[in-house]
Amino acid sequence: MSQDAAFDAETIDAGVRRWLERAVIGLNLCPFAKAVYVKQQVRIVVSDASTERALLEQLGEELALLRDTPADAIDTTLLVHPQVLGDFLDYNDFLGDADALVEAMHLDGTLQVASFHPDYQFADSAPDDPANLTNRAPYPILHLLREASIDRAVEAYPEPDAIIERNIATARELGFAGWDKLLAE
């Protein structure tokens, strides 16, 4: 979404939910997502930030909220920011600032930030490699996760390292056309 496009939080929220339900949960890209989603423990925040500074401030607020809220109320937060960091390289650079904020708030080891972007590209992969789809979302998203929740999920999953390989195989089998069809309204 370009920064010039009209900002419609409801449409953006609906697009993120469609991606979660059809791709992340529907394709089982994250085998841990369904449980927290159906329990309504996933907080989706559509940010109106239009600068990196405003986004970083909002990220700090959301990290503090997640830190101070029991996991059974909010287990994870998706901070969707459609008006800033549309360029993947700028977004990727911003992740260093996000990680520095986690450390500055003394949350390293408690919370972490994962990344999703419409143009996500793994290092050493081509832009047109369908494997990149595993981390592509309809809008740039900072995913705030509790380390304790990750630890519990990994303990419960027999082969967590196989998830990445399975996801890449699924994405490559689906391809870009299949991905677009899956997320079409």
Side-chain angles (χ1 to χ4, degrees), residues 87-152:
D87 178 84
F88 178 68
L89 294 178
D90 292 341
Y91 171 84
N92 202 42
D93 288 343
F94 181 84
L95 294 175
D97 294 336
D99 289 340
L101 180 59
V102 169
E103 288 182 32
M105 292 178 69
H106 306 288
L107 296 172
D108 201 28
T110 302
L111 300 177
Q112 67 176 255
V113 179
S115 55
F116 296 94
H117 192 279
D119 299 319
Y120 196 96
Q121 183 178 342
F122 289 106
D124 301 324
S125 74
D128 61 348
D129 184 344
N132 294 317
L133 293 171
T134 64
N135 280 58
R136 289 198 179 169
Y139 305 97
I141 297 174
L142 298 171
H143 182 190
L144 288 54
L145 297 143
R146 297 174 186 272
E147 298 252 354
S149 295
I150 295 168
D151 293 344
R152 279 191 307 276

Side-chain angles (χ1 to χ4, degrees), residues 172-183:
R172 286 183 171 150
E173 184 177 325
L174 193 62
F176 288 100
W179 183 261
D180 291 343
K181 184 178 176 182
L182 180 73
L183 297 181

Side-chain angles (χ1 to χ4, degrees), residues 14-128:
V16 170
R17 288 182 188 281
R18 186 171 39 257
W19 166 72
L20 276 172
E21 293 166 4
R22 294 181 184 179
V24 177
I25 295 169
L27 296 174
N28 201 30
L29 296 179
C30 177
F32 321 118
K34 184 177 181 178
V36 294
Y37 189 70
V38 298
K39 292 178 191 173
Q40 299 181 349
Q41 295 170 325
V42 177
R43 176 175 163 83
I44 299 173
V45 178
V46 178
S47 173
D48 62 357
S50 59
T51 66
E52 291 181 27
R53 180 180 173 95
L55 179 61
L56 196 61
E57 288 174 11
Q58 190 170 22
L59 175 60
E61 292 167 7
E62 291 299 326
L63 286 166
L65 178 67
L66 193 59
R67 174 198 65 207
D68 298 340
T69 305
D72 60 355
I74 303 171
D75 190 73
T76 189
T77 300
L78 298 176
L79 180 55
V80 185
H81 48 97
Q83 299 186 113
V84 64
L85 299 172
D87 178 84
F88 178 68
L89 294 178
D90 292 341
Y91 171 84
N92 202 42
D93 288 343
F94 181 84
L95 294 175
D97 294 336
D99 289 340
L101 180 59
V102 169
E103 288 182 32
M105 292 178 69
H106 306 288
L107 296 172
D108 201 28
T110 302
L111 300 177
Q112 67 176 255
V113 179
S115 55
F116 296 94
H117 192 279
D119 299 319
Y120 196 96
Q121 183 178 342
F122 289 106
D124 301 324
S125 74
D128 61 348

